[in-house]
C-alpha cells in the first residue's frame, strides 16, 4: 500500500499546476463524490492562490445522494462554486455554462481557458468529452489513461486543458489510501487487492450490511471479513479443484462491482456535521 506514495509525486503535481496556472482563468477541481475528503489535494488552496475555481463533485451517480448534497453545501460554504455531476450521463451539466460565466471574469478577447485537475480516474477526460459533446480525449476505467497535456475546445470560446491524474498522498493516512484504492484511483497491481477488498467489506458490513446480503444473496454475514470474502467467492463459483476459494479473484469481483455501482451508491468519506 505504501510503495506508490513517494514524495516525487507531490513535487511533480505542484510543478504541473503552477506551470499551467498562468495560462488559464479558471481551474476545474474534480473530486470524487464518493470520497470528497480523500480525493482532495490538501495543498490545493495554496497552489491555486486567488485563481478562480469551480469544484466538481464528479461520479455523483455512484455516491449517496444525501451525503453529496451535504458535502456540496459544506464545500460551497468555503466560497467556491460547487457542482454535482455525472460526467458519464451528463446529469448536472445544465448549470455549468452559467457557473463558468459567473466565476470567470472574461478578458478582452472573451475567450475562456480552463484547466482540469484531479486524482487519477476521477473522470477529468470524461468531463471534457461530455462538455465538448464528443470523444475528444481518451478515457478508460483505470487510472493513468491521460499521459500528456491536451487543449480541447469544448464550446465556442471555451478551451480546457486535460491533465494526467496525480495522487496527493496524505502520507500518514492509511484509510484515505484504502479509499482511493477501493474507488479505483490507484493502479490495481500497485496495491494489495485483497487487503483493499477486506477493508471495503469491513466498511460495507458496518455501514450497509443489507447491500452485501442483497448483492451476494447471503442470509447472514460472517463476522470475519476473510470468511465474508470467501462466501462471496463461493457465490460466484470461484472455487478451485481442491475446494479452496480463490480469494484474489473474489476480491477482484467485489472491487469491480463496487466501482461500477452494482452494490449501491456509497460515500466512503462521511460529511462532517
Ligand atoms: N459512474 C461514473 N463514471 C464516470 C464518471 N466520470 C467518469 N467516469 C468513468 O471513470 C473512468 C475514468 O474516466 P477518465 O475520464 O478516463 O478519468 P481521468 O480522470 O481522465 O483519468 P486519468 O486520465 O487516468 O487521470 C471511466 O471508466 C469513465 O467512464 C461519472 O461521473 N460517473
Ligand atoms: Mg484522463
Amino acid at each position: 500500500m505504501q510503495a506508490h506514495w513517494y514524495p516525487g509525486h507531490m513535487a511533480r503535481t505542484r510543478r504541473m499546476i503552477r506551470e499551467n496556472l498562468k495560462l488559464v482563468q479558471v481551474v476545474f477541481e474534480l473530486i470524487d463524490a464518493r470520497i470528497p475528503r480523500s480525493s482532495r489535494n490538501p495543498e490545493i488552496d495554496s497552489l491555486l492562490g486567488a485563481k478562480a475555481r469551480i469544484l466538481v463533485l464528479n461520479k455523483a451517480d455512484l455516491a449517496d445522494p444525501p451525503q453529496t448534497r451535504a458535502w456540496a453545501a459544506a464545500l460551497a460554504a468555503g466560497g467556491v462554486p460547487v457542482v454535482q455531476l455525472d460526467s458519464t450521463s451528463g446529469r448536472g451539466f445544465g448549470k455549468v455554462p452559467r457557473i463558468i460565466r459567473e466565476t470567470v471574469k472574461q478578458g478582452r478577447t472573451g475567450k475562456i481557458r480552463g484547466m482540469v485537475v484531479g486524482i487519477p480516474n476521477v473522470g477529468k477526460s470524461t468531463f471534457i468529452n461530455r462538455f465538448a459533446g464528443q470523444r475528444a480525449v481518451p478515457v478508460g476505467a483505470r487510472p493513468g489513461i491521460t499521459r500528456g497535456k491536451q487543449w480541447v475546445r469544448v464550446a465556442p470560446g471555451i478551451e480546457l486543458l486535460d491533465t494526467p491524474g496525480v495522487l496527493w498522498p496524505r502520507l500518514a493516512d492509511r484509510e484515505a489510501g484504502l479509499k482511493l484504492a477501493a474507488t479505483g484511483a490507484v493502479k490495481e497491481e500497485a496495491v494489495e487487492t485483497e487487503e483493499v477488498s477486506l477493508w471495503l467489506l469491513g466498511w460495507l458490513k458496518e455501514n450497509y450490511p443489507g447491500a452485501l446480503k442483497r448483492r451476494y444473496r447471503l442470509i447472514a454475514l460472517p463476522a470475519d471479513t476473510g470468511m465474508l470474502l470467501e462466501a462471496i467467492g463461493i457465490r460466484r463459483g470461484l472455487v478451485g479443484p481442491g475446494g479452496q476459494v480463490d480469494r484474489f479473484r473474489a476480491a477482484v469481483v467485489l472491487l469491480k462491482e463496487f466501482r461500477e455501482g452494482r452494490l449501491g451508491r456509497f460515500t466512503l468519506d462521511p460529511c462532517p456535521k
Side-chain angles (χ1 to χ4, degrees):
M1 272 301 297
Q2 294 303 321
H4 49 281
W5 297 140
Y6 59 91
H9 264 134
M10 206 69 135
R12 228 186 308 140
T13 307
R14 273 194 216 105
R15 212 175 320 125
M16 190 276 290
I17 292 179
R18 285 220 182 95
E19 274 168 12
N20 294 299
L21 205 55
K22 44 186 178 288
L23 307 177
V24 304
Q25 295 110 308
V26 60
V27 173
F28 293 85
E29 181 192 355
L30 262 65
I31 59 178
D32 188 320
R34 296 167 297 176
I35 46 169
R37 179 180 173 275
S38 305
S39 61
R40 207 159 182 214
N41 185 339
E43 292 192 320
I44 197 77
D45 289 341
S46 68
L47 277 169
L48 298 186
K51 187 69 68 179
R53 190 193 331 180
I54 297 168
L55 194 49
V56 177
L57 280 162
N58 198 42
K59 304 202 180 185
D61 55 305
L62 297 176
D64 182 32
Q67 278 287 323
T68 305
R69 282 194 292 276
W71 268 111
L75 292 164
V80 176
V82 180
V83 272
Q84 306 167 36
L85 293 182
D86 168 0
S87 292
T88 310
S89 75
R91 198 185 161 102
F93 262 79
K95 297 178 187 154
V96 173
R98 178 179 57 77
I99 290 172
I100 294 178
R101 274 196 307 278
E102 287 171 2
T103 308
V104 181
K105 293 162 203 66
Q106 298 191 8
R108 254 185 317 125
T109 59
K111 283 219 179 84
I112 294 174
R113 292 187 130 197
M115 164 165 59
V116 181
V117 300
I119 58 167
N121 210 37
V122 69
K124 299 175 294 299
S125 302
T126 305
F127 168 80
I128 289 173
N129 288 343
R130 169 59 53 186
F131 209 146
Q134 57 167 314
R135 197 181 161 102
V137 285
V139 301
R142 57 192 165 78
I145 296 286
T146 303
R147 298 288 178 181
K149 296 177 294 180
Q150 192 184 333
W151 286 102
V152 180
R153 189 174 165 278
V154 293
I158 305 181
E159 279 181 30
L160 296 185
L161 181 63
D162 193 12
T163 64
V166 273
L167 281 168
W168 20 77
R170 295 168 180 271
L171 283 163
D173 194 340
R174 177 173 174 274
E175 195 167 276
L178 288 163
K179 289 172 181 175
L180 287 163
T183 50
V186 176
K187 272 200 180 69
E188 195 76 65
E189 61 269 24
V191 297
E192 297 292 341
T193 303
E194 206 174 305
E195 183 193 347
V196 175
S197 76
L198 291 177
W199 175 83
L200 181 61
L201 282 176
W203 188 89
L204 287 168
K205 201 155 74 73
E206 172 106 18
N207 295 284
Y208 297 89
L212 280 173
K213 288 181 188 162
R214 270 193 303 281
R215 179 73 194 168
Y216 299 109
R217 289 176 287 114
L218 300 168
I219 292 152
L221 300 179
D224 176 62
T225 48
M227 297 300 291
L228 178 51
L229 184 60
E230 294 200 1
I232 291 171
I234 290 167
R235 273 285 181 243
R236 290 300 152 95
L238 304 172
V239 181
Q244 77 286 12
V245 181
D246 188 334
R247 285 170 59 138
F248 175 75
R249 284 179 64 202
V252 170
V253 165
L254 172 76
L255 290 174
K256 181 172 187 291
E257 297 190 352
F258 173 77
R259 289 169 187 161
E260 289 172 352
R262 293 185 193 277
L263 279 86
R265 301 172 73 172
F266 307 111
T267 303
L268 298 175
D269 283 337
C271 183
K273 300 222 167 58

